[in-house]
Amino acid sequence: MRYFLSILFIIFIYNQVTAQRKFKSSQWEEWDQAAQQLEIGNFDMALSIYRLELDNPGFSYRFKQTQNLKNIYSEGLKLQKEGKFSEAIAMFKRHRSIDGVGSLGAFERKIEECIRLLGPPDNSKLKDLQRRNLAAEYSYKAYKKLLAMDIQGALKDYRLAKTFGNTSFLLGKKYEDDLHMIQEVVQWQQLVQQSIGKGLELEKVAYGKYRDIKGVPVLPSIETKIQIVIAQIEGKNVLLSLAQNCETDALLGYVQEHKSEFTQSATFVSKLRQYISIRNKIDTLSRRLDNAETVKSAFVSAEDMVHYFEDLPDEINRSLTRCLKNDKYRVNLGFSIMAVKNNDYEKAKHFLEVAKGIGLPEKENEITELEKAITSNTNCIGIDEFKTDMMLARNELKRCNLLASKKAWQAGELQLLDCDEKNKILQSYNSLLDSINRIGADMRSFNAFVANVKKSIQNGKYNEANNYIDRIKLLVVCDTLSRNLEIEPLINKIKNFRNRHKFALGASGSIGANKPMYKINDNEYDISYGITTTAGLQFSFRDPGSPSSILMSIEYFSTNYNSLNADDLALENFKVVGASGSINIKFHILQTGKIKPNIKIGAEGIIPVMYRYRNYSATIETSDKSQLNNFLLSGQGGIGLDIGKFSIDAYANYGLASIYDRSATNLSSTPNQEVNARFRRAGIRIGFWIF
């Protein structure tokens, strides 16, 4: 009989615990059901569900919000029926600004209807205000699609926003910038596609390049992908690494990509989505103390959901459970701080006890500090508020919200204005203030150094950029992961540049005009503009980080020109063919970008290998090369552009040595007369780098 009674008692206790757990989770189920009714626009049903729990402050608050939503929806419908589609859009959009509601499908569908009814962008009947409203709505839709990685959909909507938004210069500029941003995202997406299958390092770099696009928001799905690739590169168990870091979105993405590795992947993905949805809603609800009971119920549902992940190894399940505990602790600690700010110390103690009971030993110091703030019996006016502000300052510092942390400190300091022990109390918190100031100073230095790194890279000063990177690594910042993600692309740029070939080989050629200086004794003769052509190979040597390089070439050289008589008729014809070699110093004005301007200065030497002279008046012709100097030196310079592997230059060249050997007898003059001739050339040179 005794054993029978014991069994009955155990069954009774089990049923009580189970019933209590069901009661705790039922509030969340009701909240979730009401949210589903709101999503489809069934306001009366949502109101009836909220009405069941009006003694719950969170339900009561949402009940009033739902009444407001119902009125907004009704007003929007009325405007739509009256044909006031632009005004209806503005009315329906108001639901987005209601605290904790977000975007509801019922309203968004009505907005879509009104947009269609307003007509196409070329509708001449649309007024400026209507066009501005449509532009704003398309911009909003495009932003949402971009976050969801619907790139083509975002591109289409940004184009429509630009089309509708050209009603003023400022709006037009904004939508032009948005369109330019999404076009760069399209190019980035193509880059990512090209990197797939070519190595994880290349994939990681490609994914991360979206952060360099001006105006692009943080893309959660891409950040998730980067985390997965990093874990794969480091050779870690991807699932375990993501679970340990509480990256549930990344975990979901990985499972979806590797469905074949899980026996019940479809069920698991569905349950994990529900779990993430509950977690996200908890984050939203925990901003208000009124929602504490609903959040408590949501955590019960989330804990139950973890038990569905039987397809995952125990270690991963334990990691997810630990993440949920950390969330539960963080939320209850936040509720405790809110209660203190509301001077409701009983509630503050309650939530602190809940946080304490979760059992996270590493949080003991934090709990002790808040306990002191709650239970302090000091007679100093404002001490409770001060301690609460100090706790808030510490929490904001941990979240890297430096501005909020500093404001909380300043607010706490103001609480002690009438306190005789102000200096003593502040001194006991000096370490917190030092941390705020130091991290703040280091964050400012970080931002300045990052800007300097980007500027140095843009100017091609890679050694200087690397020095700034070394200084950045010494800084104390509160979020090392974000810091590393920001500087990693810059480090890769420096590495890529240093790994570039110092030597380059290419082909080159030029065409230009040659108008030599031609004198016999002191008499200068007029020379026509002749054609000069070259073709051959070019070589480049460059030290990475240097603003200059050495450029050399070996080319075939040919020029042909005439001397003219008083009637500007050809008197003589000259043709010189040879081999030319040049060496130039090339100064790079800009070292980054698609088009890079440069300046060159150097020298050229020509070795004549063929010469032909014709005198039309005396019918004399010769190919005697002995009349020429064996080496023709000239100085040259020019300006040019490097466009990828191509280069184009405008050059000028002036002969420093006479074409003719002064000791030789020249057929173009009588004996004992001195002939002095020098090339004067200008033209266009085109080059192509093979590697």
Side-chain angles (χ1 to χ4, degrees), residues 228-273:
I228 292 174
V229 173
I230 289 174
Q232 290 173 324
I233 290 172
E234 294 175 351
K236 296 178 180 178
N237 180 319
V238 176
L239 278 178
L240 181 58
S241 176
L242 296 175
Q244 288 175 338
N245 291 319
C246 304
E247 297 282 356
T248 48
D249 288 316
L251 189 66
L252 175 61
Y254 184 83
V255 173
Q256 286 178 310
E257 287 186 10
H258 301 80
K259 291 180 181 179
S260 59
E261 299 177 16
F262 302 92
T263 55
Q264 295 179 338
S265 61
T267 303
F268 172 67
V269 166
S270 174
K271 294 298 181 184
L272 186 56
R273 277 190 180 137

Side-chain angles (χ1 to χ4, degrees), residues 176-208:
E176 179 69 36
D177 290 344
D178 288 344
L179 183 58
H180 180 71
M181 176 269 292
I182 195 65
Q183 287 169 339
E184 287 196 52
V185 171
V186 171
Q187 294 175 359
W188 162 79
Q189 193 178 41
Q190 294 170 351
L191 175 68
V192 169
Q193 292 299 323
Q194 292 169 3
S195 72
I196 301 298
K198 295 182 180 178
L200 292 173
E201 283 287 354
L202 190 61
E203 280 188 40
K204 183 186 72 170
V205 172
Y207 279 117

Side-chain angles (χ1 to χ4, degrees), residues 514 530-533 557-561 574-577 679 681:
N514 183 13
I531 295 177
T532 300
T533 58
F557 172 88
S558 175
T559 185
N560 192 321
Y561 53 92
F574 305 85
K575 182 175 182 180
V576 179
V577 176
F679 289 151
R681 296 155 42 207

Side-chain angles (χ1 to χ4, degrees), residues 289 331-356 367 370-371 373-375 388:
L289 187 58
V331 167
N332 280 282
L333 192 73
F335 282 149
S336 182
I337 293 172
M338 289 182 201
V340 170
K341 292 181 80 68
N342 293 339
N343 295 319
D344 191 341
Y345 293 100
E346 288 304 314
K347 275 190 178 179
K349 289 177 184 178
H350 166 72
F351 290 118
L352 187 61
E353 283 301 315
V354 174
K356 193 175 182 179
I367 291 172
L370 186 56
E371 278 180 333
I374 295 171
T375 61
T388 302

Side-chain angles (χ1 to χ4, degrees), residues 293-309:
E293 285 300 315
T294 307
V295 169
K296 179 181 177 181
S297 176
F299 271 118
V300 173
S301 294
E303 288 165 355
D304 290 340
M305 197 69 67
V306 172
H307 297 303
Y308 284 105
F309 303 152

Side-chain angles (χ1 to χ4, degrees), residues 49 80 99 113 176 224 281 336 442 481 541 546 601 636:
I49 295 172
Q80 184 179 352
D99 179 34
E113 283 182 22
E176 179 69 36
T224 291
K281 289 173 182 175
S336 182
D442 279 7
L481 177 60
F541 171 80
S546 171
I601 187 169
Q636 63 182 12

